[in-house]
Amino acid sequence: KMVGYKSVDDYVESGMVVGLGTGSTAYFAVERLGQKLASGELKDIVAIPTSVRTKEQAESLGIPLVTLDTHSKLDVAIDGADEVDPDLNLVKGGGGALLREKMVEVCADKFIVIVDESKICDGLGPGFPLPVEITPFCHEHTLRLIAALPSCAGSDAVLRMGSSSTNVPDGDEIAVTDNGNYIVDLHFTELIKDAPTMATELKNTVGVVEHGIFC
């Protein structure tokens, strides 16, 4: 909570366009932005949320919202991460919002990532499954394509079930993202050797919409 609040205190100024992340850590940054707007400490802010639940939280706090359609350039985006390696490659998307997070955060002049020491690792992979958003059309075919990629060798590709906001199965139905897509979680037992290569291979796979590697 403290770091989430500090990210807004240190990096958000009046007049900015701000990207709002998704998840338990980003929740506190959104909360803090709402507080500072309500108190008048910040003015003339507009924000772009990265999920339906962040949008609902921001609306409840009176934060003015826009979209990338009208504001393609952001001053700052603030979000959490599920894993961070020594090269500052990230795994994100445990909460299922990876596509919108990436679309918004690549447009920001500054991307502030809020993590505690539990998220910092020697390498991506074993500590947190890598989410990959795929089209529902022939999803089992796409899952097999992903599992067969050279960079994904040794991983266990699992279709996310239940709620899209957690990679722990909590229902019998296939999880559906805010964008109407499915998620495959890649479970690794060994460190990912080359995150940028994996990112490229996943992105080049037809049927893959986006992946949770942020390089």
Side-chain angles (χ1 to χ4, degrees):
K1 180 173 181 176
M2 182 184 71
V3 182
Y5 275 30
K6 186 171 170 53
S7 67
V8 173
D9 293 344
D10 290 356
Y11 294 102
V12 179
E13 299 173 3
S14 292
M16 282 188 165
V17 181
V18 182
L20 303 178
T22 294
S24 55
T25 314
Y27 177 92
F28 293 114
V30 179
E31 183 175 79
R32 182 61 166 166
L33 183 60
Q35 289 174 357
K36 297 188 84 166
L37 281 167
S39 71
E41 195 174 340
L42 288 175
K43 292 183 172 64
D44 302 320
I45 295 280
V46 292
I48 301 177
T50 54
S51 66
V52 171
R53 61 187 185 279
T54 297
K55 176 176 180 284
E56 290 170 348
Q57 182 197 4
E59 285 174 340
S60 75
L61 296 169
I63 299 172
L65 299 180
V66 294
T67 73
L68 292 176
D69 287 338
T70 56
H71 294 72
S72 291
K73 188 172 183 298
L74 287 72
D75 297 291
V76 64
I78 301 171
D79 206 351
D82 300 308
E83 276 195 318
V84 185
D85 77 5
D87 295 323
L88 300 184
N89 297 312
L90 314 175
V91 165
K92 291 177 47 54
L98 56 152
L99 173 61
R100 295 190 188 191
E101 286 173 344
K102 194 173 283 189
M103 286 180 70
V104 169
E105 287 153 10
V106 298
C107 296
D109 289 343
K110 258 194 193 129
F111 178 30
I112 308 303
V113 181
I114 317 163
V115 293
D116 60 25
E117 57 276 4
S118 70
K119 305 293 179 71
I120 297 169
C121 60
D122 294 331
L124 304 180
F128 199 92
L130 171 65
V132 182
E133 188 160 345
I134 66 170
T135 58
F137 177 73
C138 297
H139 62 277
E140 292 179 8
H141 161 75
T142 304
L143 185 149
R144 289 195 299 271
L145 287 179
I146 292 168
L149 291 172
S151 61
C152 298
S155 68
D156 185 19
V158 179
L159 188 65
R160 190 175 291 194
M161 304 296 289
S163 167
S164 66
S165 62
T166 174
N167 58 20
V168 178
D170 61 357
D172 298 327
E173 300 291 322
I174 297 173
V176 179
T177 69
D178 287 346
N179 316 296
N181 296 317
Y182 295 168
I183 292 178
V184 174
D185 288 299
L186 296 177
H187 296 254
F188 294 87
T189 55
E190 296 181 4
L191 297 180
I192 294 172
K193 294 181 180 65
D194 188 343
T197 295
M198 182 179 289
T200 301
E201 287 189 0
L202 285 167
K203 193 72 174 177
N204 288 343
T205 302
V206 177
V208 169
V209 180
E210 193 50 84
H211 56 77
I213 298 174
F214 286 56
C215 297

